Amino acid sequence: MNRDKNTLDWCALIAMQPSAGLIPKALREVATQLHTDSRGTLFRIGEPVRHVYLVIDGEVRLIRLERHGSEVILQRSRGGFIAEASLDSKIYHCDAVTAEPSTLLLLPAVAFRTALEDDPTFCKAWQSQLAKEIRKLRAQCERLSLHSAADRITHYIESEGDDGALTLKQSRKSWAAELGLTHEALYRALRRMQEDGTLLIEGNQFTRKP
């Protein structure tokens, strides 16, 4: 893992991840940019909470291990803040690992809490950000309750896209995992939807047809 400090191009970071625009000047001055390899570990369960993490590029997973050693994925993030709930805790309650080479911003937790207390504008923006994440999680829970792959695909396009169109910003294999499907099941469903005329696929652009 490589860290960069005091050389951050905030315009470029915000262009890549708009959530970075929420970060006030006081936090920008102490932020660190982290570059990780695939399967890098950000923190382990039980470790003290030292940072708030913002995923700029790549994929981070929050996981716990079952008794037999298999992983339970609690959250996947390909952009945005992760482990927000840890800000009010002394220790992390899960592990965080990168699933591919990733770029993140590390914001010291103490400075983050101070900024929330001292900067009303940032505090309000942070509350709006958390509300947005709650709405996203609700949509995800609703999507995973749907039985067919086609219904999950349609729900994702309608909830995450714009006017029935979606530009996919991740691999189809990662998308399948987010939909709770195997990548084979996703490919079959996409092919059927394309063949029956309900979905137009052009590269990474997916458009629902009436």
Side-chain angles (χ1 to χ4, degrees):
M1 295 188 184
N2 300 316
R3 293 193 185 188
D4 298 323
K5 190 173 183 179
N6 299 326
T7 59
L8 304 185
D9 184 342
W10 284 95
C11 290
L13 289 171
I14 293 170
M16 293 178 66
Q17 177 46 246
S19 295
L22 298 177
I23 301 171
K25 181 179 179 180
L27 274 180
R28 293 186 184 190
E29 292 175 349
V30 295
T32 302
Q33 185 170 288
L34 177 67
H35 303 283
T36 76
D37 296 327
S38 180
R39 205 60 185 179
T41 299
L42 301 179
F43 54 78
R44 293 290 190 188
I45 188 171
E47 291 182 352
V49 175
R50 295 190 175 92
H51 296 97
V52 174
Y53 293 83
L54 176 63
V55 182
I56 300 296
D57 186 47
E59 180 178 319
V60 176
R61 298 177 183 177
L62 301 185
I63 63 173
R64 286 183 183 169
L65 296 179
E66 294 183 332
R67 291 183 180 179
H68 302 295
S70 59
E71 291 183 354
V72 176
I73 300 176
L74 305 178
Q75 180 185 354
R76 299 174 188 265
S77 177
R78 299 191 63 83
F81 292 94
I82 60 168
E84 301 95 326
S86 296
L87 192 60
D88 292 325
S89 176
K90 293 183 179 180
I91 61 172
Y92 293 111
H93 297 286
C94 59
D95 297 346
V97 298
T98 55
E100 60 188 59
S102 303
T103 300
L104 304 97
L105 283 182
L106 277 62
L107 306 162
V110 172
F112 201 100
R113 296 185 188 104
T114 299
L116 287 174
E117 293 173 356
D118 296 345
D119 188 334
T121 300
F122 175 52
C123 184
K124 184 175 181 179
W126 181 245
Q127 290 173 343
S128 297
Q129 175 71 17
L130 293 180
K132 179 181 177 181
E133 287 300 313
I134 290 173
R135 291 192 295 270
K136 183 178 179 179
L137 289 172
R138 284 177 176 172
Q140 185 176 13
C141 289
E142 174 64 23
R143 185 159 51 246
L144 292 177
S145 72
L146 301 174
H147 294 296
S148 77
D151 285 344
R152 293 186 187 185
I153 292 168
T154 299
H155 186 284
Y156 190 96
I157 293 172
E158 294 296 338
S159 62
E160 303 295 330
D162 183 25
D163 196 24
L166 170 78
T167 300
L168 191 64
K169 298 181 180 179
Q170 58 181 307
S171 69
R172 293 192 185 186
K173 188 173 182 180
S174 295
W175 188 28
E178 187 173 348
L179 292 171
L181 304 170
T182 64
H183 63 276
E184 293 90 352
L186 173 63
Y187 296 151
R188 287 195 299 269
L190 289 175
R191 185 173 60 251
R192 285 195 300 268
M193 295 173 74
Q194 192 171 26
E195 290 172 350
D196 65 22
T198 60
L199 186 66
L200 175 64
I201 303 176
E202 299 174 305
N204 286 332
Q205 185 75 19
F206 299 80
T207 305
R208 287 277 296 135
K209 304 297 288 184

